[in-house]
Amino acid sequence: MIKDYTKYEMNQREKLIFTASGYVIIGAAVFLFYHSLILSIIAGGCILWLAPLYEDFMVLRRYEKLDIQFKDLLYSLSASVAAGRQMGESLIEADSNLKLIYRDEDLIMVELSHMCTCIIENNESDAALLIDFADRAHSEDISNFVQVYITCRDLGGDLEQIIHRTAVILNDKMTIRREIKSITAQRKLEGRMIAMMPVIMLALLNIASPSYIAPMYETFIGRLIMTFCLAASCWAIWMMEKLSSVEI
């Protein structure tokens, strides 16, 4: 069970793959711009500074998965509540239903397994378990659903309609997100290709005509220009990713 969905910690295998691949890529890029093996070896260590960016990316991917899985949970809860079951019973039934489409290690299944164990063995309140889930998830959709459920349970209301409506809203948000991604996907690809063009052109010049590009590696002005090009390429890639990121 994840204690805080806003934090992501790489396991040993992920750390090894990320560090090794990042070290090679950065080292190769620096060698391409400077033709210095020592500088490439030193610069490869910068991959450790990029680990938080990778972890932030994985947090966003995990939230996307959680949204989809939580939507399926809501549809299962809606059907169970419509059949006259209480929320605790609905969660237990949802655990059985969602096992047909999700693996035990998937996010929602881990959460459901924990809730079912607490309800059956410890007789804990379903409301307390849902509040705990919302507090750890830090998801606006999950928090809103839990708050509405608590209010509906305490003051009375059509719980079935509320759950179904929440599922519909989540589905609409995911549909809009997919449409935006499909619209921006081509522009994002074009932006990445343009940002990588200096690197590609430099590699081709080194292969096709190394003598032509040699002054860029042998003079102070040449190395200064190379440093500017490398910095500009990194800035362009960062800006492209920043501008093409859409949050809903």
Side-chain angles (χ1 to χ4, degrees):
M1 185 179 64
I2 298 174
K3 295 182 179 180
D4 189 345
Y5 279 84
T6 61
K7 298 179 181 179
Y8 182 88
E9 294 184 4
M10 292 184 284
N11 55 40
Q12 292 300 321
R13 181 174 179 271
E14 284 180 299
K15 288 181 180 179
L16 179 61
I17 295 175
F18 174 78
T19 303
S21 59
Y23 190 94
V24 170
I25 293 172
I26 294 177
V30 171
F31 183 82
L32 181 62
F33 277 86
Y34 294 101
H35 279 192
S36 172
L37 183 60
I38 295 177
L39 187 59
S40 299
I41 294 174
I42 296 174
C46 294
I47 188 61
L48 299 177
W49 297 347
L50 299 179
L53 296 179
Y54 174 79
E55 291 175 348
D56 291 342
F57 170 75
M58 293 303 295
V59 166
L60 292 177
R61 287 192 59 184
R62 186 167 60 187
Y63 269 120
E64 291 177 357
K65 294 179 180 178
L66 183 62
D67 284 343
I68 295 173
Q69 295 172 11
F70 182 69
K71 179 201 67 174
D72 293 332
L73 170 62
L74 289 180
Y75 281 126
S76 177
L77 292 177
S78 178
S80 298
V81 171
R85 295 178 178 83
Q86 299 297 320
M87 179 59 74
E89 298 171 334
S90 299
L91 290 170
I92 295 173
E93 185 173 10
D95 182 54
S96 301
N97 294 338
L98 295 185
K99 282 181 179 178
L100 300 175
I101 56 177
Y102 292 117
R103 300 169 298 174
D104 291 341
E105 60 269 22
D106 285 328
L107 299 172
I108 201 65
M109 297 309 302
V110 173
E111 293 292 344
L112 279 174
S113 177
H114 168 70
M115 291 182 191
C116 292
T117 300
C118 292
I119 292 173
I120 296 173
E121 297 182 2
N122 303 331
N123 198 29
E124 293 189 28
S125 167
D126 54 80
L129 293 171
L130 288 172
I131 291 174
D132 174 67
F133 177 37
D135 290 341
R136 289 184 292 103
H138 298 279
S139 169
E140 182 181 357
D141 296 318
I142 297 176
S143 296
N144 289 341
F145 165 74
V146 172
Q147 291 174 5
V148 171
Y149 164 66
I150 298 299
T151 303
C152 180
R153 190 193 65 165
D154 294 341
L155 302 180
D158 190 346
L159 184 58
E160 176 193 354
Q161 183 63 27
I162 290 173
I163 296 175
H164 178 73
R165 181 58 180 166
T166 304
V168 170
I169 292 174
L170 273 177
N171 187 63
D172 290 343
K173 289 182 65 174
M174 283 183 279
T175 300
I176 295 172
R177 188 181 292 117
R178 284 195 297 267
E179 291 177 353
I180 293 176
K181 283 186 176 181
S182 64
I183 293 172
T184 59
Q186 183 177 357
R187 296 291 177 262
K188 183 179 289 189
L189 178 60
E190 292 173 356
R192 288 173 178 170
M193 292 178 64
I194 292 173
M196 291 299 296
M197 281 304 296
V199 179
I200 297 173
M201 292 299 298
L202 185 59
L204 291 175
L205 286 172
N206 273 274
I207 295 172
S209 183
S211 59
Y212 176 80
I213 199 71
M216 304 300 291
Y217 299 104
E218 298 171 355
T219 64
F220 173 76
I221 296 298
R223 291 186 178 277
L224 192 63
I225 293 174
M226 285 297 195
T227 302
F228 173 78
C229 292
L230 179 59
S233 297
C234 294
W235 179 82
I237 293 173
W238 179 80
M239 281 298 296
M240 183 275 303
E241 294 292 338
K242 191 77 171 177
L243 293 173
S244 60
S245 297
V246 179
E247 294 184 5
I248 302 176

